[in-house]
């Protein structure tokens, strides 16, 4: 009886198969964790009555613990600036102008500016929510930040 043998992939052919499979696996993992973070953020928002706190300023039964509107508006403003910088870099620079340079070379002040806006925004949100949730404001804002950051995975660009 004759034995048939299959050709064993050599060098770059094997590396190409492995890297393609690894790339696909990494893509699936990234999307999975993005879904998890977005789902956790939405679950936390529902559990803590986030929308009621934002619209009415407090949770039912705890009217004395009110949202600090000034810091909340500052947080929203900083988040809006951060979003504008991100849209500028991702949409305008990368897709419309088709700049081949790295962002750091093309717009060296954009990333530090966005970082400052993000930090000021996060701190502002923590201060704004502190009267309502106290120390829990730290993990709540962190989960919301991670949810919004990972939500970008689903923007069709």
């Amino acid at each position: 009886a004759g034995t048939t043998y299959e050709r064993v992939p050599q060098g770059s052919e094997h590396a190409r198969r492995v890297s393609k499979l690894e790339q696909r696996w990494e893509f699936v993992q990234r999307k999975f964790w993005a879904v998890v973070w977005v789902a956790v953020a939405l679950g936390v928002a529902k559990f803590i009555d986030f929308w009621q706190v934002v619209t009415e300023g407090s949770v039912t039964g705890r009217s004395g613990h009110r949202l600090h509107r000034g810091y909340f508006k500052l947080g929203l403003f900083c988040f809006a600036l951060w979003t504008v910088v991100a849209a500028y870099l991702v949409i305008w620079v990368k897709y419309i102008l088709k700049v081949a340079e790295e962002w750091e070379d093309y717009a060296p002040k954009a990333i530090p500016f966005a970082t400052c806006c993000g930090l000021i925004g996060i701190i502002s949100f923590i201060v704004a929510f502190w009267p309502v949730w106290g120390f829990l404001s730290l993990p709540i804002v962190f989960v919301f930040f991670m949810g919004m950051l990972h939500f970008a995975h689903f923007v069709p660009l």
Side-chain angles (χ1 to χ4, degrees), residues 27-96:
F27 175 80
V28 169
Q29 280 185 318
R30 279 195 310 270
K31 294 301 180 184
F32 171 77
W33 287 113
V35 167
V36 167
W37 276 112
V38 171
V40 168
L42 290 172
V44 167
K46 179 151 179 53
F47 181 75
I48 64 172
D49 291 330
F50 178 73
W51 307 117
Q52 180 181 355
V53 171
V54 169
T55 57
E56 298 176 21
S58 65
V59 180
T60 304
R62 296 184 67 197
S63 59
H65 302 274
R66 302 204 49 85
L67 173 73
H68 195 293
R69 291 262 179 220
Y71 283 107
F72 182 71
K73 290 176 184 175
L74 177 62
L76 287 177
F77 179 72
C78 289
F79 178 72
L81 285 177
W82 180 84
T83 305
V84 167
V85 172
Y88 167 75
L89 292 173
V90 173
I91 297 170
W92 185 257
V93 172
K94 185 175 180 182
Y95 289 111
I96 295 175

Side-chain angles (χ1 to χ4, degrees), residues 11-26:
S12 66
E13 186 180 331
H14 178 67
R16 194 174 336 116
R17 269 194 204 154
V18 171
S19 68
K20 192 82 158 169
L21 182 62
E22 286 175 356
Q23 287 175 353
R24 201 169 284 147
W25 177 244
E26 287 175 13

